[in-house]
Amino acid sequence: MGKKQVMVPVNEVDLTEVKYVPEKFEAPHLTGFWFKLFVKVMEAPLIGSLITSHLKQKNGMTEILKNTVIPEVPMFIPQFPLQDPEPGVVCLEEDGKPEERVDLALKCLPHYDPSSSWNSGSGEPFRFRYWKIRDYGYAYRSKFTTPSMFISAIEVLNDKQPSAPLLISFDPKEVRRQAAASTQRFEEGIPLSILDGILIAVKDDIDCFPHPSKGGSTWFHEVRQVNIDAVSVSRLRSSGAILVGKTNMHEFGMGTTGNNPNYGTPGNPHNPKRYTGGSSSGSAAIVASGLCSAALGTDGGGSIRIPASLCGVVGLKTTFGRTDLTGSLWEAGTVTIAGPITATVEDAILVYAAILGSSPADRIPLNPSLPCLPDLSSNESSNILGSLTLGKYTKWFNDVSSTDITDKCEDVLNQLFHLHGCKTTEIVIPELRELRTAHTVTFGSESLCLLNPDCEDGKGVRLTNDTRTNLALFRSFAASDYVSVQRLRRRIMYYHMEIFKKVDVIVTPTTGMTAPEIPESALEVGETNLQVVASLMQFAITANILGLPAISVPIGYDKQGLPIGLQLIGRPWCEATILRLASVIEEFSAEYRKKPMEFYDILKVK
């Protein structure tokens, strides 16, 4: 008796009474023998259910899921109100050819000056900077190099790090074939687009024929065959990109560190003893190390933005429904979306232009507008920036592990105001703990739906300990829990749509901490550390449960030299606004960019 609570209808909530509760997750941190034992206990019929029940109660999930009346109607997929058109944009045709969209995106970029990248033809940049896709295009057209000349660099690296490969599926013969075809097109003067000859890797949960899609596991290719490219991959291939192979990842995306005992855990290029972040770990690391200009990832809980932030590169999550997930493990999900991880914002714009295009109409919310890109070549861009209002929830913004993170993020906001007139205003976001629960139950239920039939068929024992622990928790969710969190989803969407009536972009750190250390004992059997998971995900999951566009852009480093990212969350369908803002942030943060400890300058021209 006395446990029942009734939520006030969302439109009657008094925001002045909202109190921020610091991010906290109570659960054991285990590796090695004790982790293996814990997994067996978690999977035991009686004691396992007692442990999961205790964990849910300690972390407020039971109170939300079992004891609370939520008056809103469930929202099973993100649904958005109509949005005002963005100013200063160029619209793209979703049904057009990918290479034509890429060419239009190219015209949206600022004028390309080769002298800003090349020092008197020596190939040495004036300061450390990543080579951009346009730099490669210039090198190909100027005959400094050819696509075929880069393949050996990929082969050498993959052979050099067999214990922790960035690519877990790599076919040198297939890559050479693609490179030879691209080289011939340049020789004939008919490249397909600016992406022709560009090395792009693909996360292991997105189909890229002839590679298997294992989701970072050892067995999923045995039950699911790959016969064609995923839609996003086929669009990149149509644009001439060289698809180098499948990148390492946290098994089935069920973690944010990138730990993978199956193939080895990739080290962060800025410090190999630190995690890359996940689950798109190999995708972020291969871009940060300079080996690929871009990689495709999937983002179900910050899985693009988290590793991008920890590795010091750019990660873009689009609005739910903006890119087609057909041909990925998550094509039936409601929180996951495919997107690019790139070295620079302009590269993200080019890759995004290639892969965009709606999912099947029966699975997406109403999309009333064409996808748009910011016209960065226009003189109006500065005026548009000055009209933007940024929303910041200070107590949430400051809830991080180190003041290094908030100090860097505050510096960026101050520069945006002084250089471009972007105003920052205080906002309040209620029910952040409820948001975390909604994401956990939704993503967990969708993951369980994907894997349960094969687990029941005996494959579950071949999963990593980390995945098995998560699935044990996910199995404890009832059908009523799923409906309850979809009611919460509608409430949280209401709060954010009200906020977006006052601001254009919500700004947060991308993660609550920089790259965590990799425990030696975690390399062989994995680890469970839900405190770290919660800290890495705390700012990212909003965009997933609500389907909003978001981008992480690197802005500097902490005192240990580890990258820090700033996250920009935009209105539904307003990718152009966050890309425009990210571009100027990148511009004035460039002088602080450092060369990673593990970096391969494959475009260095002799």
Side-chain angles (χ1 to χ4, degrees), residues 42 52 56 440 468-477:
M42 283 282 284
T52 56
K56 289 192 293 185
T440 301
R468 290 168 67 176
T469 302
N470 282 314
L471 290 180
L473 172 63
F474 299 159
R475 289 190 182 99
S476 73
F477 299 142

Side-chain angles (χ1 to χ4, degrees), residues 29-71:
H29 174 205
L30 300 170
T31 63
F33 167 79
W34 294 109
F35 186 26
K36 291 192 288 186
L37 179 62
F38 181 72
V39 172
K40 292 186 179 297
V41 172
M42 283 282 284
E43 293 178 335
L46 179 59
I47 192 169
S49 62
L50 292 175
I51 292 174
T52 56
S53 178
H54 174 74
L55 286 173
K56 289 192 293 185
Q57 187 169 6
K58 290 289 287 183
N59 290 287
M61 297 181 73
T62 302
E63 176 187 342
I64 296 168
L65 298 174
K66 303 299 184 186
N67 304 332
T68 304
V69 177
I70 307 166

Side-chain angles (χ1 to χ4, degrees), residues 303 321 342 501 596:
S303 309
T342 59
K501 292 177 181 178

Side-chain angles (χ1 to χ4, degrees), residues 81 83-84 389 391 427 493-507 542 546 548-549 568-572 574 578:
Q83 301 296 309
D84 293 333
T389 300
I427 59 174
M493 180 68 82
Y494 176 87
Y495 293 133
H496 282 76
M497 292 306 101
E498 288 298 299
I499 289 170
F500 280 126
K501 292 177 181 178
K502 304 171 185 176
V503 306
D504 301 287
V505 174
I506 297 172
V507 291
T542 298
L546 300 183
L548 300 172
L568 310 173
I569 304 174
R571 292 185 176 116
C574 292
I578 60 173

